[in-house]
Amino acid sequence: MVRHAHAARHRAHRPLGLHRAVRPPLYDYLARKPESSTLFDDYMAARAVPFTEGLSERYAFPATGTMVDVAGGKGHILATVLRANPGLRGVLMDLEHVVDHARQALAEEGLAERTEVVAGDFFAAVPSGGDVYLLASILHNWDDEDCVKILTNVRTAMNPGGRVLILEVVLPDDERPHLGKDIDLRMLAIFNGGAERSRDEYAALLGRAGLAMSDVVELGSGASLIEARQR
């Protein structure tokens, strides 16, 4: 029986009544295990392939400007977008133990001159001055309060007229069967209140962060791209 929307390990170690972002144990483990971290980054890049190959065909990226890939791993999605949009530059931010992998991967793609890779924590801040901020498979790892904090940091950092792109599984707002509902339970079991969400639930999170949903683009393979802009 599901009694609460938190993973058991997280509930056992989080002080009752206190909300603060607690990084899931998975990330602490990966930071200590370089070989496992490399395998995880490779898995995330492979996982992104089905819905990124046609990403630029389904969504109109700006012709120029800067795209910031927040917690972008090895940068597979960023590289895909930059190859299709030669007027864009890219910034990839991730944790300290990930960024060397990203620099190497982007250099192998021939994108070293068009990209900057920085280490950081999206609960503290994200790189400023971007025109497009991508959060791919990020928000489903976190509970609502943590998601609002991440999104607020993005809104604060973006250029006027900028946009946020959230790449996630989007659940139906009704009781129809959906693959994401199985994934939703897995996220709850693995992460600290992580969850797949519906369109209405994402709209509510965005509103709390001072953003407004402006479009939802179906990418196939169960994934969608949510576009949001400053209110």
Side-chain angles (χ1 to χ4, degrees):
M1 178 183 295
V2 177
R3 297 182 183 276
H4 50 76
H6 294 286
R9 187 181 190 279
H10 175 63
R11 188 173 177 86
H13 294 280
R14 189 177 201 165
L16 191 63
L18 175 64
H19 186 93
R20 61 185 179 85
V22 178
R23 199 167 298 280
L26 171 64
Y27 297 123
D28 293 333
Y29 173 82
L30 294 175
R32 299 193 306 270
K33 302 288 186 178
E35 292 183 2
S36 296
S37 179
T38 298
L39 288 173
F40 181 78
D41 292 341
D42 290 343
Y43 161 73
M44 291 301 292
R47 178 179 178 271
V49 169
F51 47 79
T52 56
E53 292 306 316
L55 183 59
S56 289
E57 297 175 3
R58 295 184 174 98
Y59 181 78
F61 288 88
T64 60
T66 299
M67 174 171 164
V68 181
D69 193 352
V70 179
K74 292 177 66 175
H76 171 76
I77 299 177
L78 179 61
T80 301
V81 172
L82 293 183
R83 286 197 304 268
N85 299 273
L88 278 177
R89 295 187 58 82
V91 178
L92 185 144
M93 187 196 86
D94 213 311
L95 298 173
E96 187 69 47
H97 69 276
V98 177
V99 291
D100 286 343
H101 303 161
R103 289 191 185 97
Q104 179 180 350
L106 290 168
E108 290 171 354
E109 292 282 354
L111 295 169
E113 297 300 318
R114 291 174 60 197
T115 56
E116 178 184 3
V117 179
V118 298
D121 179 350
F122 48 49
F123 286 114
V126 300
S128 62
D131 302 290
V132 179
Y133 283 77
L134 175 67
L135 295 163
S137 298
I138 303 302
L139 296 184
H140 72 164
N141 293 348
W142 303 95
D143 66 22
D144 288 358
E145 297 303 320
D146 292 339
C147 288
V148 171
K149 176 62 175 174
I150 296 166
L151 290 167
T152 299
N153 285 344
V154 170
R155 176 184 55 77
T156 301
M158 68 170 50
N159 283 338
R163 63 187 91 169
V164 184
L165 301 179
I166 300 168
L167 201 164
E168 295 281 6
V169 170
V170 177
L171 300 178
D173 286 305
D174 55 30
E175 298 303 317
R176 284 175 292 167
H178 193 280
L179 174 63
K181 294 182 179 181
D182 175 70
I183 303 172
D184 184 34
L185 291 176
R186 296 173 189 269
M187 299 308 296
L188 171 61
I190 296 171
F191 293 98
N192 304 338
E196 305 299 344
R197 296 175 173 89
S198 69
R199 179 172 178 152
D200 286 350
E201 288 171 327
Y202 275 114
L205 289 180
L206 289 164
R208 291 177 59 192
L211 297 160
M213 183 183 294
S214 49
D215 198 8
V216 179
V217 179
E218 298 295 329
L219 299 178
S221 299
S224 298
L225 190 71
I226 299 170
E227 179 194 74
R229 298 176 184 263
Q230 294 171 329
R231 295 171 65 176

